[in-house]
């Protein structure tokens, strides 16, 4: 066991210690952790990302729900301790199935166990990688003129050029993108384009956008996995590359951008590892719906609710977002990236993206 | 045009035959359509059978058999009881003559009253099928049964005996009637089933067997072996008498003086009241009642209403009793598995000189739908009322209560509420004021409505208390899981992770609970060879030394951080007799037990036990517990003692 895990074990034992102390001091045991809602995130000037504020919730054994949470926390902590001792790791889903055997402490859904794993990160200020826990899904796909050095499972180094050494579906981002696993070698690109949908990613690949505009294309696969965000963050920082985010035009897509650029509400405790503060939003914007006269759908009640919620989300308080969200509410419409196909399959790469990128000052006309 | 004279008119004036009368009024008598006719036929015969058995104190066994007749719309109805039978000479009058009966003049609670019922069935059969009724009756055990085929001569309102034979019958005594009638069985089946089931609920001493045309058999078994106390026949009460009846009684009286006439022919007339009535009417006490003039009788009738007269005696009523209502509701709602059954009964009282009494039962929860209207079960003198629910005072009373505060839904606090409940209301009276001859709804009499409301409110308060108690218990039960299972696990896990000894939990447990928890457990034990007292059975316990003992264990646990002392009360259910109680209560009355609980230390519990006799399994599932000399907010499982 290396020194890093020694620290992890100590922090896990701190949790047990806190509960044990409460009991011996005749107090009702509890753990406190930051409230993980949008009302408790603040912009951290130093880190340039959004982090949790000072509001705390108490998980107390005074209520049945609280007591269950404590018991589950103890079981999970003990499980992690065991994994570290025997040098094994498990997926979040495997842990959920293992928890079936935890009797009273078992979870009723995987969402519960995932949330608790995040709670543990928050309480201990560690990352789930430290706990030997990993997600089921790996990150998404990448295509562009960059060479990556990956340490394979056989513990050998392998160089992968993300155009020449991969097929049209690109390089697949592994779940662990820390330097011990992935290193960025030679690169010859000017910017990173993060794309929400697979359809648009494939369109850009087919149209050689990566080659024509010296871009690194990253497929976000909807709400991006941690490793995808971490990959973008590391790459943009290490290679000093600007990031643009290209998504559908609806409230959910705006949140995808926010999690890439500002940090997600659920993972605000590790925003500084995941968020790329330099990322900017390319589109499709509500203004684009009007300017490009795009085909649209009506906003659903859910869409309207979540747009309104974004108006009170501290991350969307700048003039650009306020204007665009209000405009979309006024239009009552949403659109998709692929709606640009209205003007032909090459329109997005020949007209839309070049126009938008030069507007943003990313490329010269 | 020639002038019509009285003589001409007289040619058209003639006696109306009963058949014509029936034909025109059959809807009033409950034969309005083939479905109703089917139900009415069964109802009349079953009511008669039950009345007959009770008159001679036999536990009723009624068999209702329906088979298909020759025609498509014809059913053959056979109803059999184990009553005393009917003497040969009376059979033709009872079954073959309208308005003939023994109960029309009697002032006491009975099912049938008018003497129309069963003969109307025979007439209906004759009019719709052209066939005849067959009556079998056996009134003496060692003699054969008489079997008579009857028709009604509708011009004379007399029975015609078409055939008369003797035959062997297995039954010691009993009566059986078989009539072919035109009926709609497909549509009527549900009503018959409901009627028989509901009859069984309010007649827990009766066993009713229902055999359908396809041969399937439903048995509504008895839940009680106790024959209801026979209702006494009483003299009329002055306030309920009609003028015509008063004139008739006066003319036929054997009394020589008005004072003795009043005292002997009426109830509730003592010397003082008699004096007052005579004084108010301006009549001489010594006058001969037979010789009273019309005006004098009018004055007397008026005086009856002006003078305050004691309520009539109530032994003419035969209520079902709360324990038996509970018992039958419990049996009949088994499939629903209700959360609780609550009953309430009012003391007897009178409207217009007619004694009456209201009993109600309420079934709550279980599989009953939360969104549907509550189900109402109406009964008058142990007879289910199936039709005209909307026009009945029972429905009116229910609709005029604001149920929202008792946990049921009701738009604007009026109307029949929605919720998972069944309400049973039984009105017993010597004279049920029905809205019509078909006896389907009770008329809007304010005294009756008020009594029903009072009984319902008492039930509803209990429902509310039950729900509240359940909610608090649920919350505290959650905490029990917490302190007995989860907290020890948390402690164990933290200790094992740190390789330290288990920390003590009691102080934390009292902090988390912070209540006094009272829980009761009820068990039933059958004892043999020891006499068990009971109030319900009249039989001598010494002759039949066995029975069921209900054992209650009340656990009082102090989950507060200081020692606690207070008084605990347990109500004794109706019809129960208290046996051994430990520790010894400081007070014992007919209705409750009271214990003084001294200094229970924190995290400690004490057990209180007591035994009850005279109850059956399931008569009650939960003790009604109360506390005093302590803040009731600290106590889960008992309410504040409000005094007796």
């Amino acid at each position: 066991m290396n020194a890093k895990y020694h620290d992890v074990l100590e922090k896990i034992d701190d949790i047990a210690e806190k509960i044990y102390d409460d009991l011996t001091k005749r107090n009702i045991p509890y753990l406190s952790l930051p409230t993980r809602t949008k009302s408790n995130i603040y912009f951290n000037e130093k880190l340039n990302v959004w982090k949790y504020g000072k509001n705390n919730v108490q998980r107390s054994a005074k209520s049945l729900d609280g007591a269950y949470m404590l018991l589950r926390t103890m079981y999970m902590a003990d499980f992690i301790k065991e994994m570290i001792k025997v040098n094994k790791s498990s997926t979040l889903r495997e842990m959920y199935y293992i928890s079936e055997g935890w009797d009273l402490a078992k979870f009723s859904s995987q969402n519960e166990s995932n949330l608790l794993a995040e709670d543990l990160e928050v309480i201990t200020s560690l990352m789930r990688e430290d706990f030997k826990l990993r997600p089921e899904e790996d990150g998404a796909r990448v295509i562009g003129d960059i060479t990556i050095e990956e340490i394979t499972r056989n513990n050998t180094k392998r160089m992968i050029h993300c155009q020449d050494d991969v097929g049209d579906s690109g390089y697949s981002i592994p779940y662990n993108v820390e330097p011990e696993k992935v290193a960025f070698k030679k690169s010859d690109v000017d910017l990173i384009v993060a794309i929400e949908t697979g359809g648009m990613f494939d369109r850009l690949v087919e149209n050689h956008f990566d080659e024509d505009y010296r871009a690194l294309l990253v497929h976000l696969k909807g709400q991006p996995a941690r490793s995808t965000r971490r990959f973008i963050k590391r790459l943009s920082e290490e290679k000093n590359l600007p990031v643009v985010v290209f998504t559908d035009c609806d409230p959910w897509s705006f949140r995808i951008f926010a999690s890439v650029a500002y940090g997600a509400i659920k993972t605000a405790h590790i925003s500084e590892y995941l968020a790329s503060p330099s990322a900017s939003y390319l589109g499709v914007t509500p203004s684009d719906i009007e300017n490009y006269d795009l085909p649209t759908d009506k906003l659903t009640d859910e869409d309207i609710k979540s747009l309104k919620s974004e108006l009170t989300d501290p991350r969307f308080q700048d003039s650009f977002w306020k204007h665009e969200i209000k405009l979309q509410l006024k239009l009552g419409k949403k659109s998709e990236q692929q709606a640009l196909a209205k003007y032909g399959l090459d329109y997005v790469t020949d007209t839309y993206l070049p126009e938008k990128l030069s507007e943003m000052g990313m490329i010269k006309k | 045009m020639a002038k019509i004279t009285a003589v001409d008119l007289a040619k058209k004036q003639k006696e109306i035959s009963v058949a014509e009368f029936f034909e025109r009024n059959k809807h009033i008598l409950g034969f309005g359509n083939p479905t109703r006719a089917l139900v009415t036929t069964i109802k009349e015969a079953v009511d008669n059978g039950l009345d007959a058995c009770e008159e001679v104190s036999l536990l009723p066994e009624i068999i209702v058999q329906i088979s298909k007749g020759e025609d498509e719309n014809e059913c053959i109805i056979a109803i059999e009881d184990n009553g005393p039978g009917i003497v040969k000479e009376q059979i033709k009058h009872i079954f073959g003559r309208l308005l003939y009966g023994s109960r029309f003049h009697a002032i006491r609670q009975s099912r049938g009253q008018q003497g129309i019922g069963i003969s109307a069935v025979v007439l209906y059969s004759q009019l719709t099928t052209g066939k005849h009724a067959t009556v079998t009756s056996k009134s003496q055990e060692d003699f054969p049964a008489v079997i008579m085929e009857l028709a009604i001569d509708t011009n004379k309102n007399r029975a015609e005996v078409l055939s008369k034979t003797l035959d062997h019958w297995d039954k010691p005594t009993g009566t059986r009637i078989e009539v072919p009638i035109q009926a709609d069985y497909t549509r009527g089946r549900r009503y018959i089933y409901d009627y028989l089931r509901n009859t069984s609920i309010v007649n827990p001493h009766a066993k009713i067997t229902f055999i359908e045309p396809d041969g399937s058999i439903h048995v509504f078994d008895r839940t009680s072996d106790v024959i209801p106390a026979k209702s006494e026949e009483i003299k009329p009460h002055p306030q309920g008498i009609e003028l015509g009846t008063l004139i008739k009684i006066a003319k036929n009286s054997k009394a020589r003086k008005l004072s003795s006439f009043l005292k002997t022919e009426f109830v509730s007339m003592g010397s003082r009241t008699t004096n007052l009535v005579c004084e108010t009417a301006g009549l001489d006490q010594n006058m001969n009642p037979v010789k009273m003039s019309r005006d004098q009788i009018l004055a007397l009738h008026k005086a009856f209403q002006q003078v305050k007269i004691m309520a009539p005696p109530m032994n003419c009523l035969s209520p079902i009793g709360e324990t038996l209502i509970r018992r039958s509701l419990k049996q009949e709602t088994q499939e629903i598995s209700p959360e609780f059954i609550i009953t309430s009964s009012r003391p007897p009282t009178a409207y217009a000189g007619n004694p009456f009494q209201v009993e109600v039962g309420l079934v709550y929860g279980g599989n009953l739908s939360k969104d549907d209207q509550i189900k109402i079960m109406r009964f008058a003198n142990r007879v289910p009322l199936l039709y005209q629910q909307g026009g009945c005072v029972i429905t009116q009373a229910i609709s005029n209560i604001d149920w929202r505060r008792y946990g049921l839904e009701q738009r604007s606090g009026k109307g029949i509420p929605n919720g998972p409940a069944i309400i049973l209301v039984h009105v017993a009276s010597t004279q049920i004021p029905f809205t019509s001859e078909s006896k389907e709804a009770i008329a809007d009499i304010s005294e009756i409505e008020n009594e029903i409301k009072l009984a319902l409110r008492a039930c509803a308060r209990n429902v509310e208390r039950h729900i509240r108690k359940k909610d608090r218990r649920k919350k505290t039960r959650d905490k029990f899981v917490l302190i007995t299972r989860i907290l020890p696990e948390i402690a164990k896990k933290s200790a094992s992770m740190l390789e330290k000894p288990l920390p003590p939990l009691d102080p934390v447990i009292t902090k988390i609970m912070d209540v006094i928890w009272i829980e009761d457990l009820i068990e039933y034990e059958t004892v043999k060879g020891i006499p068990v007292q009971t109030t319900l059975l009249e039989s001598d316990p010494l002759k039949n030394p066995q029975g069921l003992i209900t054992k209650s264990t009340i656990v009082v646990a102090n989950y507060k951080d200081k020692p606690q002392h207070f008084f605990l009360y347990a109500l004794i259910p109706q019809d129960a007799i208290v046996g051994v109680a430990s520790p010894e209560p400081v007070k014992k009355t007919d209705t409750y037990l009271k214990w003084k609980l001294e200094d229970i230390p924190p995290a400690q519990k004490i057990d209180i036990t007591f035994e009850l006799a005279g109850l059956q399994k399931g008569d009650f599932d939960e003790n009604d517990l109360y506390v005093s000399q302590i803040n009731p907010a600290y106590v889960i499982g008992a309410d504040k003692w409000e005094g007796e």
Side-chain angles (χ1 to χ4, degrees), chain A residues 15 69-70 79 84 115 118 133 141 149 173 176 188 196 221 303:
Chain A
I15 298 173
M69 284 303 292
L70 287 187
F79 168 70
I84 292 172
L115 280 172
E118 282 169 6
L133 289 174
R141 307 179 279 155
E149 183 190 83
I173 303 174
N176 180 4
D188 193 18
E196 177 179 352
K221 259 181 158 175
D303 291 334

Side-chain angles (χ1 to χ4, degrees), chain B residues 270-334:
Chain B
S271 303
R272 212 184 55 83
T273 320
T274 306
N275 289 345
L276 210 58
V277 165
C278 293
E279 211 174 284
T280 311
L283 296 174
D284 180 1
Q285 292 196 28
N286 294 319
M287 77 176 295
N288 187 340
V290 181
K291 291 185 176 152
M292 277 195 291
S293 71
R294 212 190 93 85
D295 284 347
Q296 283 171 322
I297 290 182
L298 260 174
L300 182 65
H301 190 249
K302 209 173 151 199
F304 281 160
Q305 307 304 323
Q306 288 166 333
V307 173
K308 199 168 151 43
I309 302 170
M310 219 174 66
M314 301 300 168
N315 51 5
C316 52
L317 295 177
S318 164
I320 305 162
E322 289 190 44
T323 306
L324 292 185
I325 291 181
R326 267 188 71 90
R327 222 176 260 176
S328 6
L329 280 178
K330 192 163 186 129
Q331 163 143 331
E332 287 307 324
T333 57
Q334 262 172 0

Side-chain angles (χ1 to χ4, degrees), chain A residues 111-130:
Chain A
N111 193 35
E112 270 184 12
S113 68
N114 289 358
L115 280 172
L116 187 61
E118 282 169 6
D119 281 351
L120 268 184
E121 289 180 316
V122 177
I123 294 169
T124 56
S125 317
L126 293 167
M127 298 240 282
R128 67 182 176 210
E129 288 74 12
D130 301 326

Side-chain angles (χ1 to χ4, degrees), chain A residues 151-364:
Chain A
I151 312 291
T152 65
R153 59 191 162 155
N154 302 326
N155 227 358
T156 56
K157 287 181 186 174
R158 181 143 174 226
M159 302 293 266
I160 302 162
H161 184 264
C162 294
Q163 282 167 330
D164 302 343
D165 299 339
V166 297
D168 286 350
S169 58
Y171 168 74
S172 189
I173 303 174
Y175 70 86
N176 180 4
V177 290
E178 295 310 310
E180 72 212 25
K181 170 82 180 166
V182 171
F184 302 116
K185 298 293 177 188
K186 201 166 82 60
S187 85
D188 193 18
V189 291
D190 294 337
L191 79 162
I192 300 170
V193 182
I195 302 142
E196 177 179 352
T197 64
M200 185 51 74
F201 176 83
D202 290 334
R203 164 64 40 224
L204 266 53
V205 172
E206 193 178 303
N207 292 7
H208 300 274
F209 189 80
D210 53 324
E211 291 162 1
D212 298 349
Y213 286 87
R214 298 170 51 77
L216 182 81
L217 308 179
V218 181
H219 174 209
L220 294 173
K221 259 181 158 175
Q223 186 59 252
R226 276 190 192 188
S227 58
T228 309
R229 286 186 278 156
R230 177 73 178 144
F231 181 90
I232 296 171
K233 152 92 175 171
R234 273 192 63 203
L235 188 59
S236 75
E237 255 179 25
E238 288 173 30
K239 299 288 178 191
N240 198 19
L241 293 170
V243 181
V244 295
V245 180
F246 179 26
T247 67
D248 288 341
C249 179
D250 63 37
W252 320 101
S253 303
F254 303 161
R255 284 177 192 188
I256 290 173
F257 165 72
S259 80
V260 172
Y262 309 141
I265 294 172
K266 256 176 50 174
T267 55
H269 56 294
I270 42 175
S271 288
E272 66 269 36
Y273 293 99
L274 301 179
S276 311
S278 66
S280 46
Y281 189 67
L282 180 140
V284 175
T285 62
S287 301
D288 289 342
I289 291 182
E290 289 200 306
N291 297 343
Y292 291 88
D293 189 20
L294 295 176
T296 56
D297 282 316
K298 256 185 78 175
L299 288 177
T300 64
D301 291 348
E302 280 298 302
D303 291 334
I304 293 170
K305 224 168 89 187
S306 87
L307 280 170
K308 285 184 175 159
S309 156
E310 281 162 13
L311 282 176
T312 61
D313 187 325
R315 298 173 300 167
F316 290 102
Q317 295 306 308
D318 64 18
S319 56
F320 168 78
W321 280 115
K322 282 199 135 164
H323 172 261
E324 292 294 340
I325 291 169
K326 281 179 185 162
L327 175 66
Q328 181 155 32
L329 280 168
K330 204 179 96 196
L331 294 173
K333 287 171 182 166
K334 60 181 177 183
S335 191
E336 290 182 359
Q337 297 181 303
Q338 296 181 49
L340 290 160
K342 174 186 177 187
Y343 302 108
L345 292 176
D346 296 337
Y347 184 79
V348 61
T349 42
D350 290 356
T351 312
Y352 179 78
L353 285 174
E355 273 182 22
K356 293 290 283 190
L357 285 169
S358 64
E359 242 173 64
M360 295 165 83
M362 299 276 183
I363 55 169
K364 289 181 194 93

